[in-house]
Amino acid sequence: MNAIWQAALESIRSRVTGENFATYFEPLRFVGLDAGVLRLEVDDPFFGDWVRDHYTDLLRAAAAHAAGGELDVEIVVGAPAPLRQAIAVTGPVAEAPPEPRPAADDSQFPLNPFYRFENFVVGPSNQFAHAASESVANQPARAYNPLFIYGGTGLGKTHLLHAIAHRILERDPSQRVTYVSGEEFTNQVVKGISRQEMDKFRERYRAGCDVLLVDDVHVLAGRERTQEEFFYTFNALHAAQKQIVLTSDKFPQEIPGLEERLRSRFQWGLIADIKAPELETRVAILKRKAERDRIDLPDEIAFFLAQNIWRNVRALEGALIQLAAYASLTGRPLTQGLAREALRYLLESQDKALTVESIQKLVAEHFDVKVADLRGQRRHRVIAHPRSIAMYLCRKHTQASFPQIGERFGGKDHSTVIAAVRKVEKAIGSDPAVRNEVEALERKLPR
Ligand code: ADP
Ligand code: MG
């Protein structure tokens, strides 16, 4: 069964009753997925009509969620089961149809058609990474080499990497663009060694490659032989002036187990980070996504979602899809009450992950002071500075209000919190040391 369809089915399974699932979804057969249309087959025309009328929205939402972008769903009436089996036995007619955008050879990868620059919403949090990616895509190996993009999960690194590949291939289809995840690269090294095919491996990644895109390169850390192969690959491509783009969940200096020689090479070109998007950007991303998936999303719901889910764009998109499916299944309009109800679990788990207390603990450890001091009254800079930064981070990364933050910092007045937050905001703009400090802390926040 097709992986996207399978994932879509799984997400439907969690949203409908077992009986409904068995009645309406289990009988659907995957036929094919191409040109943005997921085709499903049923035996009975009446049944087909019924599913079409009642479940198209849900199917579309689940398919879009699974595929990471809008898909149309078409339900066709096929041959009855016995006949189908006969076809399957006799010949290739019933063979699985091709996947979308089949790879020409395995040095090409099925690019996600939605991960383009045009579909990437730019805001202050990702502006730099976006601009760097575009400039590399427009002038491979002339702008920055390598380009190293890092940021937390679900913030658009893979999206940008695919966008670079799309753009390079659009401008020059003869470019041999190799996209590989760090995980897959490791697998291929292992396979190459065990089958004594390292020559083939090297040909593929060195001579046979004009642009190398490695997603999640941090997973190479701690894998000695893979790092060694990657080191030589990197050197060969870099010397031949081939563009290299890497993504990682951390800044090179902060990847434990990464060899020094790779660490230094990762910093040869340009390093760009992606941060969690600001509220306005989150709202814009939601609206873009809703438009694409034809979900009617009232502004106040977009704001509600964006206010409550802030650290991960993937989670934000997932919440939208979930909400749309929930509304369509229950036949209720998209209201805030419905949103609250549908997203209860998601919101709870996110709230647990990042609290005022967890930020206090992190900041206290970072500056080597006591949490009690952060909550205390001492005004000495050694304490006051970490305290201000902790307040700033709480304001930015939790939903706590100024008075709530003051309360949890030992009962301080909200005006004290406001003053501290403003001071840090100003310092970030004028003092690189403070900015670096804050960014280092933000990278340590649990994602
Ligand atoms: P990462 O690789 O950093 O974990 P992804 O690139 O997989 O994250 O992004 C997760 C999802 O969020 C994708 O569906 C992607 O399209 C979407 N996304 C992330 N950032 C943006 C953005 N700025 N504009 C539009 N969509 C975004
Ligand atoms: Mg990714």
Side-chain angles (χ1 to χ4, degrees), residues 272-286:
D273 68 335
I274 300 194
K275 297 199 195 68
E278 307 67 29
L279 179 66
E280 294 76 11
T281 313
R282 298 200 294 275
V283 172
I285 290 173
L286 276 175

Side-chain angles (χ1 to χ4, degrees), residues 97-118:
E99 297 284 298
R101 294 274 197 128
D105 62 59
D106 61 1
S107 72
Q108 297 268 312
F109 66 107
L111 285 175
N112 186 320
F114 304 99
Y115 289 179
R116 293 174 175 278
F117 285 121
E118 293 73 18

Side-chain angles (χ1 to χ4, degrees), residues 30-220:
F30 173 79
V31 186
L33 176 55
D34 64 84
V37 182
L38 171 68
R39 280 197 186 75
L40 303 170
E41 193 183 46
V42 295
D43 293 335
D44 182 87
F46 175 77
F47 178 76
D49 283 342
W50 204 94
V51 172
R52 222 174 276 127
D53 287 343
H54 290 82
Y55 288 121
T56 297
D57 284 350
L58 174 62
L59 283 166
R60 226 185 243 146
H65 184 42
E70 184 193 324
L71 281 184
D72 244 319
V73 175
E74 199 176 288
I75 294 170
V76 296
V77 179
L83 184 56
R84 204 173 52 247
Q85 274 163 16
I87 296 173
V89 175
T90 37
V93 188
E95 241 173 40
E99 297 284 298
R101 294 274 197 128
D105 62 59
D106 61 1
S107 72
Q108 297 268 312
F109 66 107
L111 285 175
N112 186 320
F114 304 99
Y115 289 179
R116 293 174 175 278
F117 285 121
E118 293 73 18
N119 296 326
F120 193 82
V121 177
V122 183
S125 55
N126 57 31
Q127 196 170 21
F128 185 55
H130 173 266
S133 301
E134 247 194 332
S135 115
V136 155
N138 293 339
Q139 299 191 301
R142 303 241 310 280
Y144 319 100
N145 207 12
L147 170 62
F148 186 96
I149 302 172
Y150 75 92
T153 144
L155 298 184
K157 300 183 296 295
T158 299
H159 188 135
L160 282 179
L161 212 52
H162 284 218
I164 291 172
H166 277 302
R167 176 69 57 84
I168 290 178
L169 289 169
E170 272 158 22
R171 293 172 63 101
D172 179 2
S174 72
Q175 288 279 309
R176 293 164 306 170
V177 178
T178 300
Y179 169 98
V180 68
S181 65
E183 211 49 66
E184 178 59 19
F185 188 86
T186 307
N187 290 342
Q188 294 195 4
V189 171
V190 173
K191 220 157 81 187
I193 295 170
S194 69
R195 297 190 187 160
Q196 303 190 317
E197 288 178 352
M198 284 314 279
D199 289 349
K200 221 163 105 186
F201 174 91
R202 290 177 187 134
E203 158 66 25
R204 172 174 175 191
Y205 285 104
R206 296 177 203 170
C209 176
D210 296 319
V211 178
L212 179 64
L213 310 172
V214 185
D215 207 356
D216 295 329
V217 76
H218 56 269
V219 306
L220 264 50

Side-chain angles (χ1 to χ4, degrees), residues 374-394:
L374 295 182
R375 295 181 192 152
Q377 306 299 329
R378 284 176 60 197
R379 300 241 179 117
H380 193 283
R381 190 181 147 80
V382 173
I383 306 294
H385 177 64
R387 185 185 293 137
S388 302
I389 289 195
M391 287 177 172
Y392 166 83
L393 290 173
C394 288

Side-chain angles (χ1 to χ4, degrees), residues 173-393:
S174 72
Q175 288 279 309
R176 293 164 306 170
V177 178
T178 300
Y179 169 98
V180 68
S181 65
E183 211 49 66
E184 178 59 19
F185 188 86
T186 307
N187 290 342
Q188 294 195 4
V189 171
V190 173
K191 220 157 81 187
I193 295 170
S194 69
R195 297 190 187 160
Q196 303 190 317
E197 288 178 352
M198 284 314 279
D199 289 349
K200 221 163 105 186
F201 174 91
R202 290 177 187 134
E203 158 66 25
R204 172 174 175 191
Y205 285 104
R206 296 177 203 170
C209 176
D210 296 319
V211 178
L212 179 64
L213 310 172
V214 185
D215 207 356
D216 295 329
V217 76
H218 56 269
V219 306
L220 264 50
R223 298 171 175 172
E224 230 170 88
R225 186 60 205 276
T226 308
Q227 291 194 63
E228 185 180 340
E229 278 307 323
F230 189 69
F231 174 73
Y232 291 117
T233 300
F234 185 103
N235 289 347
L237 292 175
H238 198 272
Q241 297 191 316
K242 308 290 193 190
Q243 180 70 50
I244 302 166
V245 186
L246 310 167
T247 73
S248 160
D249 68 349
K250 292 187 193 69
F251 188 72
Q253 296 298 349
E254 289 167 4
I255 306 175
L258 184 71
E259 286 179 8
E260 192 47 47
R261 53 185 182 172
L262 284 180
R263 203 187 296 277
S264 72
R265 272 162 182 75
F266 289 174
Q267 303 184 56
W268 275 0
L270 183 72
I271 299 190
D273 68 335
I274 300 194
K275 297 199 195 68
E278 307 67 29
L279 179 66
E280 294 76 11
T281 313
R282 298 200 294 275
V283 172
I285 290 173
L286 276 175
K287 288 189 161 174
R288 174 85 57 99
K289 176 90 185 154
E291 204 179 310
R292 215 172 58 191
D293 291 354
R294 294 191 213 106
I295 296 168
D296 190 17
L297 178 68
D299 279 358
E300 62 154 12
I301 304 296
F303 270 95
F304 173 77
L305 287 180
Q307 264 160 357
N308 283 286
I309 301 168
W310 64 97
R311 271 184 290 134
N312 179 331
V313 178
R314 190 180 296 121
L316 194 62
E317 290 185 347
L320 173 64
I321 301 286
Q322 203 167 337
L323 186 59
Y326 195 77
S328 114
L329 273 176
T330 54
R332 288 159 59 189
L334 264 180
T335 60
Q336 237 189 70
L338 187 82
R340 225 172 256 288
E341 198 177 308
L343 302 176
R344 202 169 48 230
Y345 297 109
L346 212 127
L347 298 184
E348 271 174 11
S349 68
Q350 171 160 306
D351 285 348
K352 260 190 225 118
L354 201 55
T355 59
V356 169
E357 285 70 27
S358 64
I359 289 177
Q360 288 174 337
K361 190 158 168 279
L362 184 89
V363 173
E365 274 164 16
H366 182 88
F367 288 100
D368 203 16
V369 299
K370 297 202 184 71
V371 170
D373 284 333
L374 295 182
R375 295 181 192 152
Q377 306 299 329
R378 284 176 60 197
R379 300 241 179 117
H380 193 283
R381 190 181 147 80
V382 173
I383 306 294
H385 177 64
R387 185 185 293 137
S388 302
I389 289 195
M391 287 177 172
Y392 166 83
L393 290 173

Side-chain angles (χ1 to χ4, degrees), residues 408-422:
R408 280 137 99 180
F409 274 81
K412 299 194 174 57
D413 192 71
H414 73 276
S415 61
T416 308
V417 183
I418 294 177
V421 172
R422 298 276 176 270

